[in-house]
Amino acid sequence: MSGRTMVITGASNGIGAEAARQLAARDEKVVLVGRNPQRTADVARPIGADYFLADFNHLDQVRELARQLDERYERIDVLINNAGASAPRRRVTADGYEQDFQVNYLAPFLLTNLLMPRLALSQAAIITTASVGHRFARLDLDDLQLEKGWGVLRAYANSKLLDILFTHQLQRRFGDLGINAISFHPGVVASGFAHDVGGWLGWWYRSRLGGLLMTKPAAAAENLVILAEGTPGEDWEPGAYYAGRTRGRTTAQARNRRLAERVWSLTAELLDIEA
């Protein structure tokens, strides 16, 4: 199949930008979402792609993005929730949420749910960028904002565990409507990610050794492209977590259905959307 409409968030650099280029070269209709106006335009224009601007630090911009996408496109065949960040210190957004929690989890949760009527009509695939780093998560439902015990790795890991739980619930809730959702670990990628954080994590991403050993964005994007163009149920299993092109192993928390259901309800309550 070709010519499908594929929306990619976090598409102004790194994996998102590379995936957009590769998908456009395969004659898919690519729609880019980025935060930085110049960088997003620089990726979109050479491949003839539409683009929209939204900063996931501001949930009103996510709501406006959903409105614009729904108004503009009759179909959204693939939604790739790729935007993400790792804050160098605990930051609270203008909406009042810890930054990693909002950017990596709340924003894609909100965008996906607001677009769900369009996605269901299109029987869309939803691919959310997670991470093997979810193994380091220590999730406390009474302290999702990490007001106690915040750390760079824990904040990021928690958000990526939440993305995996989100994917499981998407499949359980909307699979009967034709939705097919997976979460995806792209690898440890040599991009601009985490360059401003401290500790060993920031050192690794900034170091020459890390650059030599990490996966290049183009290679990681190839795996994402294969999943985006794949046929659910044949090329990949709906509801599953993938590491590269193959199904990956997750923690017991990531497989906990009761936890996924509870997190979904709490998140819907936070965002004031139907649970």
Side-chain angles (χ1 to χ4, degrees):
M1 295 176 65
S2 64
R4 291 169 293 181
T5 300
M6 299 188 177
V7 175
I8 309 175
T9 70
S12 62
N13 60 11
I15 302 167
E18 291 291 345
R21 295 182 184 107
Q22 293 178 29
L23 287 166
R26 293 168 178 255
D27 295 324
E28 304 289 7
K29 181 178 177 58
V30 181
V31 180
L32 280 63
V33 177
R35 181 179 64 173
N36 182 285
Q38 189 60 56
R39 288 191 303 186
T40 307
D42 287 347
V43 176
R45 287 170 181 160
I47 61 176
D50 295 341
Y51 69 94
F52 296 82
L53 301 175
D55 183 346
F56 283 11
N57 283 289
H58 300 276
L59 293 179
D60 281 349
Q61 293 190 29
V62 178
R63 294 184 178 94
E64 176 61 15
L65 171 65
R67 186 196 67 76
Q68 291 175 330
L69 291 172
D70 186 61
E71 184 179 82
R72 180 77 171 269
Y73 302 104
E74 291 185 3
R75 296 185 60 87
I76 298 176
D77 298 285
V78 181
L79 172 62
I80 302 174
N81 288 316
N82 174 69
S86 179
R89 63 192 65 85
R90 188 177 187 276
R91 293 172 175 165
V92 176
T93 68
D95 298 292
Y97 301 112
E98 190 274 328
Q99 182 175 290
D100 284 17
F101 176 73
Q102 176 164 324
V103 173
N104 298 346
Y105 170 65
L106 271 189
F109 184 104
L110 178 60
L111 178 64
T112 303
N113 276 275
L114 291 176
L115 288 175
M116 187 53 67
R118 182 70 58 201
L119 296 169
L121 184 64
S122 309
Q123 296 193 316
I126 301 169
I127 303 173
T128 299
T129 301
S131 172
V132 70
H134 80 275
R135 295 180 177 277
F136 298 100
R138 290 185 291 119
L139 200 62
D140 180 354
L141 296 187
D142 293 323
D143 187 21
L144 288 173
Q145 307 304 312
L146 292 180
E147 294 181 69
K148 301 175 182 178
W150 186 93
V152 169
L153 182 57
R154 185 185 179 194
Y156 180 73
N158 279 11
S159 71
K160 292 305 175 181
L161 171 60
L162 290 167
D163 285 334
I164 295 173
L165 295 170
F166 168 55
T167 296
H168 292 328
Q169 282 301 98
L170 277 175
Q171 194 59 45
R172 292 178 187 127
R173 284 173 165 265
F174 303 111
D176 289 345
L177 299 179
I179 291 296
N180 291 283
I182 53 173
S183 54
F184 163 72
H185 168 57
V188 183
V189 182
S191 66
F193 177 79
H195 276 208
D196 60 346
V197 305
W200 67 267
L201 182 64
W203 172 85
W204 175 258
Y205 274 95
R206 292 188 298 269
S207 71
R208 185 180 178 204
L209 177 61
L212 291 172
L213 295 180
M214 287 188 288
T215 303
K216 299 298 185 280
E222 287 178 10
N223 295 331
L224 179 54
V225 166
I226 287 171
L227 293 173
E229 292 203 308
T231 301
E234 295 181 14
D235 299 313
W236 47 263
E237 181 180 346
Y241 162 79
Y242 276 72
R245 304 177 193 182
T246 59
R247 186 165 181 177
R249 296 178 62 186
T250 57
T251 62
Q253 263 199 324
R255 300 189 298 272
N256 188 320
R257 180 166 183 164
R258 284 190 177 183
L259 179 62
E261 291 170 349
R262 181 65 177 141
V263 165
W264 183 286
S265 296
L266 287 171
T267 306
E269 184 177 344
L270 284 176
L271 295 172
D272 194 25
I273 61 177
E274 186 177 347

PDB file of all heavy atoms in Angstrom, residues 2 12 16 26 37 96 101 114 118 121 134 162 185 190 196 223 237-238 247 269 272:
ATOM      1  N   SER A   2       0.445   2.278  -0.689  1.00  0.00           N
ATOM      2  CA  SER A   2       1.188   3.531  -0.687  1.00  0.00           C
ATOM      3  C   SER A   2       0.193   4.675  -0.702  1.00  0.00           C
ATOM      4  O   SER A   2      -0.990   4.507  -0.952  1.00  0.00           O
ATOM      5  CB  SER A   2       2.122   3.609  -1.900  1.00  0.00           C
ATOM      6  OG  SER A   2       1.377   3.636  -3.090  1.00  0.00           O
ATOM      7  N   SER A  12      11.063  17.069  13.560  1.00  0.00           N
ATOM      8  CA  SER A  12      11.965  18.124  13.092  1.00  0.00           C
ATOM      9  C   SER A  12      13.430  17.719  13.119  1.00  0.00           C
ATOM     10  O   SER A  12      14.277  18.410  12.567  1.00  0.00           O
ATOM     11  CB  SER A  12      11.773  19.393  13.939  1.00  0.00           C
ATOM     12  OG  SER A  12      12.091  19.138  15.293  1.00  0.00           O
ATOM     13  N   GLY A  16      12.449  10.974  13.894  1.00  0.00           N
ATOM     14  CA  GLY A  16      11.237  11.454  13.237  1.00  0.00           C
ATOM     15  C   GLY A  16      11.512  12.045  11.873  1.00  0.00           C
ATOM     16  O   GLY A  16      10.807  11.767  10.895  1.00  0.00           O
ATOM     17  N   ARG A  26       8.934   6.633  -0.257  1.00  0.00           N
ATOM     18  CA  ARG A  26       8.133   5.454  -0.589  1.00  0.00           C
ATOM     19  C   ARG A  26       6.713   5.852  -1.005  1.00  0.00           C
ATOM     20  O   ARG A  26       5.810   5.014  -1.014  1.00  0.00           O
ATOM     21  CB  ARG A  26       8.082   4.518   0.614  1.00  0.00           C
ATOM     22  CG  ARG A  26       9.434   3.887   0.973  1.00  0.00           C
ATOM     23  CD  ARG A  26       9.350   3.211   2.332  1.00  0.00           C
ATOM     24  NE  ARG A  26      10.598   2.560   2.680  1.00  0.00           N
ATOM     25  CZ  ARG A  26      10.803   1.248   2.654  1.00  0.00           C
ATOM     26  NH1 ARG A  26       9.823   0.440   2.281  1.00  0.00           N
ATOM     27  NH2 ARG A  26      11.960   0.733   2.988  1.00  0.00           N
ATOM     28  N   PRO A  37       9.922  25.990  14.447  1.00  0.00           N
ATOM     29  CA  PRO A  37       9.405  26.340  13.120  1.00  0.00           C
ATOM     30  C   PRO A  37      10.416  26.144  11.994  1.00  0.00           C
ATOM     31  O   PRO A  37      10.086  25.550  10.960  1.00  0.00           O
ATOM     32  CB  PRO A  37       9.006  27.816  13.262  1.00  0.00           C
ATOM     33  CG  PRO A  37       8.784  28.012  14.714  1.00  0.00           C
ATOM     34  CD  PRO A  37       9.767  27.107  15.407  1.00  0.00           C
ATOM     35  N   GLY A  96       1.184  22.609  34.691  1.00  0.00           N
ATOM     36  CA  GLY A  96       1.318  22.129  36.056  1.00  0.00           C
ATOM     37  C   GLY A  96       1.794  20.698  36.204  1.00  0.00           C
ATOM     38  O   GLY A  96       1.694  20.124  37.298  1.00  0.00           O
ATOM     39  N   PHE A 101       6.729  13.682  32.079  1.00  0.00           N
ATOM     40  CA  PHE A 101       5.400  13.087  32.169  1.00  0.00           C
ATOM     41  C   PHE A 101       4.467  13.695  31.125  1.00  0.00           C
ATOM     42  O   PHE A 101       3.727  12.985  30.443  1.00  0.00           O
ATOM     43  CB  PHE A 101       4.859  13.308  33.584  1.00  0.00           C
ATOM     44  CG  PHE A 101       3.450  12.836  33.814  1.00  0.00           C
ATOM     45  CD1 PHE A 101       3.154  11.489  33.907  1.00  0.00           C
ATOM     46  CD2 PHE A 101       2.422  13.747  33.971  1.00  0.00           C
ATOM     47  CE1 PHE A 101       1.847  11.047  34.134  1.00  0.00           C
ATOM     48  CE2 PHE A 101       1.115  13.324  34.206  1.00  0.00           C
ATOM     49  CZ  PHE A 101       0.830  11.971  34.284  1.00  0.00           C
ATOM     50  N   LEU A 114      -8.065  12.610  21.251  1.00  0.00           N
ATOM     51  CA  LEU A 114      -8.821  13.628  20.521  1.00  0.00           C
ATOM     52  C   LEU A 114      -9.007  13.253  19.055  1.00  0.00           C
ATOM     53  O   LEU A 114     -10.019  13.602  18.436  1.00  0.00           O
ATOM     54  CB  LEU A 114      -8.117  14.979  20.628  1.00  0.00           C
ATOM     55  CG  LEU A 114      -8.119  15.629  22.017  1.00  0.00           C
ATOM     56  CD1 LEU A 114      -7.297  16.913  22.002  1.00  0.00           C
ATOM     57  CD2 LEU A 114      -9.534  15.914  22.494  1.00  0.00           C
ATOM     58  N   ARG A 118     -11.378  10.048  14.091  1.00  0.00           N
ATOM     59  CA  ARG A 118     -10.739  10.028  12.771  1.00  0.00           C
ATOM     60  C   ARG A 118      -9.892   8.775  12.589  1.00  0.00           C
ATOM     61  O   ARG A 118      -9.892   8.146  11.538  1.00  0.00           O
ATOM     62  CB  ARG A 118      -9.872  11.271  12.603  1.00  0.00           C
ATOM     63  CG  ARG A 118      -9.182  11.398  11.250  1.00  0.00           C
ATOM     64  CD  ARG A 118     -10.163  11.699  10.143  1.00  0.00           C
ATOM     65  NE  ARG A 118     -10.899  12.927  10.415  1.00  0.00           N
ATOM     66  CZ  ARG A 118     -12.079  13.226   9.856  1.00  0.00           C
ATOM     67  NH1 ARG A 118     -12.628  12.389   8.998  1.00  0.00           N
ATOM     68  NH2 ARG A 118     -12.700  14.351  10.168  1.00  0.00           N
ATOM     69  N   LEU A 121     -12.155   5.707  12.162  1.00  0.00           N
ATOM     70  CA  LEU A 121     -12.737   5.720  10.816  1.00  0.00           C
ATOM     71  C   LEU A 121     -11.731   5.228   9.787  1.00  0.00           C
ATOM     72  O   LEU A 121     -12.086   4.546   8.815  1.00  0.00           O
ATOM     73  CB  LEU A 121     -13.182   7.142  10.468  1.00  0.00           C
ATOM     74  CG  LEU A 121     -13.901   7.335   9.133  1.00  0.00           C
ATOM     75  CD1 LEU A 121     -15.228   6.587   9.117  1.00  0.00           C
ATOM     76  CD2 LEU A 121     -14.124   8.816   8.852  1.00  0.00           C
ATOM     77  N   HIS A 134      12.334   1.722  30.036  1.00  0.00           N
ATOM     78  CA  HIS A 134      11.196   1.524  30.931  1.00  0.00           C
ATOM     79  C   HIS A 134      11.531   0.532  32.044  1.00  0.00           C
ATOM     80  O   HIS A 134      10.865   0.500  33.081  1.00  0.00           O
ATOM     81  CB  HIS A 134       9.970   1.043  30.154  1.00  0.00           C
ATOM     82  CG  HIS A 134       9.976  -0.423  29.826  1.00  0.00           C
ATOM     83  ND1 HIS A 134      10.609  -0.937  28.716  1.00  0.00           N
ATOM     84  CD2 HIS A 134       9.447  -1.489  30.470  1.00  0.00           C
ATOM     85  CE1 HIS A 134      10.461  -2.254  28.690  1.00  0.00           C
ATOM     86  NE2 HIS A 134       9.752  -2.616  29.742  1.00  0.00           N
ATOM     87  N   LEU A 162       4.755   4.323  31.029  1.00  0.00           N
ATOM     88  CA  LEU A 162       3.386   4.796  30.813  1.00  0.00           C
ATOM     89  C   LEU A 162       2.991   4.688  29.344  1.00  0.00           C
ATOM     90  O   LEU A 162       1.843   4.358  29.025  1.00  0.00           O
ATOM     91  CB  LEU A 162       3.256   6.240  31.297  1.00  0.00           C
ATOM     92  CG  LEU A 162       3.322   6.426  32.819  1.00  0.00           C
ATOM     93  CD1 LEU A 162       3.497   7.901  33.168  1.00  0.00           C
ATOM     94  CD2 LEU A 162       2.068   5.876  33.492  1.00  0.00           C
ATOM     95  N   HIS A 185      10.711   0.506  20.690  1.00  0.00           N
ATOM     96  CA  HIS A 185      12.013   0.965  21.168  1.00  0.00           C
ATOM     97  C   HIS A 185      12.943   1.072  19.966  1.00  0.00           C
ATOM     98  O   HIS A 185      13.273   0.058  19.343  1.00  0.00           O
ATOM     99  CB  HIS A 185      12.584  -0.006  22.193  1.00  0.00           C
ATOM    100  CG  HIS A 185      14.023   0.243  22.524  1.00  0.00           C
ATOM    101  ND1 HIS A 185      14.482   1.459  23.009  1.00  0.00           N
ATOM    102  CD2 HIS A 185      15.119  -0.553  22.422  1.00  0.00           C
ATOM    103  CE1 HIS A 185      15.788   1.386  23.202  1.00  0.00           C
ATOM    104  NE2 HIS A 185      16.201   0.186  22.845  1.00  0.00           N
ATOM    105  N   ALA A 190      22.019   7.899  18.331  1.00  0.00           N
ATOM    106  CA  ALA A 190      22.916   9.059  18.342  1.00  0.00           C
ATOM    107  C   ALA A 190      22.197  10.248  17.710  1.00  0.00           C
ATOM    108  O   ALA A 190      22.255  10.472  16.504  1.00  0.00           O
ATOM    109  CB  ALA A 190      24.198   8.737  17.575  1.00  0.00           C
ATOM    110  N   ASP A 196      21.610  17.720  27.070  1.00  0.00           N
ATOM    111  CA  ASP A 196      21.717  18.742  28.106  1.00  0.00           C
ATOM    112  C   ASP A 196      21.477  18.199  29.509  1.00  0.00           C
ATOM    113  O   ASP A 196      21.413  18.967  30.467  1.00  0.00           O
ATOM    114  CB  ASP A 196      20.747  19.894  27.826  1.00  0.00           C
ATOM    115  CG  ASP A 196      19.283  19.444  27.775  1.00  0.00           C
ATOM    116  OD1 ASP A 196      19.034  18.231  27.684  1.00  0.00           O
ATOM    117  OD2 ASP A 196      18.394  20.313  27.851  1.00  0.00           O
ATOM    118  N   ASN A 223      13.722   0.908  10.861  1.00  0.00           N
ATOM    119  CA  ASN A 223      12.882  -0.011  11.627  1.00  0.00           C
ATOM    120  C   ASN A 223      11.486   0.563  11.840  1.00  0.00           C
ATOM    121  O   ASN A 223      10.481  -0.151  11.748  1.00  0.00           O
ATOM    122  CB  ASN A 223      13.528  -0.312  12.980  1.00  0.00           C
ATOM    123  CG  ASN A 223      14.842  -1.047  12.848  1.00  0.00           C
ATOM    124  OD1 ASN A 223      15.062  -1.789  11.890  1.00  0.00           O
ATOM    125  ND2 ASN A 223      15.730  -0.853  13.813  1.00  0.00           N
ATOM    126  N   GLU A 237       2.405  -7.709  15.842  1.00  0.00           N
ATOM    127  CA  GLU A 237       1.275  -8.081  16.687  1.00  0.00           C
ATOM    128  C   GLU A 237       0.682  -6.862  17.370  1.00  0.00           C
ATOM    129  O   GLU A 237       1.372  -6.188  18.146  1.00  0.00           O
ATOM    130  CB  GLU A 237       1.710  -9.102  17.733  1.00  0.00           C
ATOM    131  CG  GLU A 237       0.579  -9.567  18.630  1.00  0.00           C
ATOM    132  CD  GLU A 237       1.025 -10.581  19.653  1.00  0.00           C
ATOM    133  OE1 GLU A 237       2.141 -11.131  19.508  1.00  0.00           O
ATOM    134  OE2 GLU A 237       0.264 -10.806  20.616  1.00  0.00           O
ATOM    135  N   PRO A 238      -0.578  -6.561  17.118  1.00  0.00           N
ATOM    136  CA  PRO A 238      -1.212  -5.412  17.767  1.00  0.00           C
ATOM    137  C   PRO A 238      -1.163  -5.520  19.291  1.00  0.00           C
ATOM    138  O   PRO A 238      -1.347  -6.597  19.867  1.00  0.00           O
ATOM    139  CB  PRO A 238      -2.659  -5.480  17.259  1.00  0.00           C
ATOM    140  CG  PRO A 238      -2.548  -6.177  15.932  1.00  0.00           C
ATOM    141  CD  PRO A 238      -1.475  -7.195  16.129  1.00  0.00           C
ATOM    142  N   ARG A 247       9.603  -8.376  18.361  1.00  0.00           N
ATOM    143  CA  ARG A 247       8.901  -8.172  19.618  1.00  0.00           C
ATOM    144  C   ARG A 247       9.896  -8.204  20.766  1.00  0.00           C
ATOM    145  O   ARG A 247      10.766  -9.075  20.827  1.00  0.00           O
ATOM    146  CB  ARG A 247       7.832  -9.252  19.805  1.00  0.00           C
ATOM    147  CG  ARG A 247       6.980  -9.008  21.023  1.00  0.00           C
ATOM    148  CD  ARG A 247       5.723  -9.810  21.037  1.00  0.00           C
ATOM    149  NE  ARG A 247       4.942  -9.505  22.233  1.00  0.00           N
ATOM    150  CZ  ARG A 247       3.759 -10.018  22.495  1.00  0.00           C
ATOM    151  NH1 ARG A 247       3.209 -10.857  21.633  1.00  0.00           N
ATOM    152  NH2 ARG A 247       3.118  -9.692  23.597  1.00  0.00           N
ATOM    153  N   GLU A 269      -8.843  11.463  33.841  1.00  0.00           N
ATOM    154  CA  GLU A 269      -9.339  12.408  34.846  1.00  0.00           C
ATOM    155  C   GLU A 269      -8.498  13.681  34.840  1.00  0.00           C
ATOM    156  O   GLU A 269      -9.041  14.802  34.917  1.00  0.00           O
ATOM    157  CB  GLU A 269      -9.305  11.751  36.221  1.00  0.00           C
ATOM    158  CG  GLU A 269      -9.892  12.604  37.337  1.00  0.00           C
ATOM    159  CD  GLU A 269      -9.894  11.885  38.662  1.00  0.00           C
ATOM    160  OE1 GLU A 269      -9.734  10.653  38.697  1.00  0.00           O
ATOM    161  OE2 GLU A 269     -10.060  12.580  39.697  1.00  0.00           O
ATOM    162  N   ASP A 272      -9.407  15.624  31.801  1.00  0.00           N
ATOM    163  CA  ASP A 272     -10.838  15.912  31.694  1.00  0.00           C
ATOM    164  C   ASP A 272     -11.413  15.436  30.363  1.00  0.00           C
ATOM    165  O   ASP A 272     -12.100  16.163  29.652  1.00  0.00           O
ATOM    166  CB  ASP A 272     -11.104  17.418  31.865  1.00  0.00           C
ATOM    167  CG  ASP A 272     -12.585  17.726  32.106  1.00  0.00           C
ATOM    168  OD1 ASP A 272     -13.297  16.828  32.598  1.00  0.00           O
ATOM    169  OD2 ASP A 272     -13.011  18.852  31.790  1.00  0.00           O
TER     170      ASP A 272
END
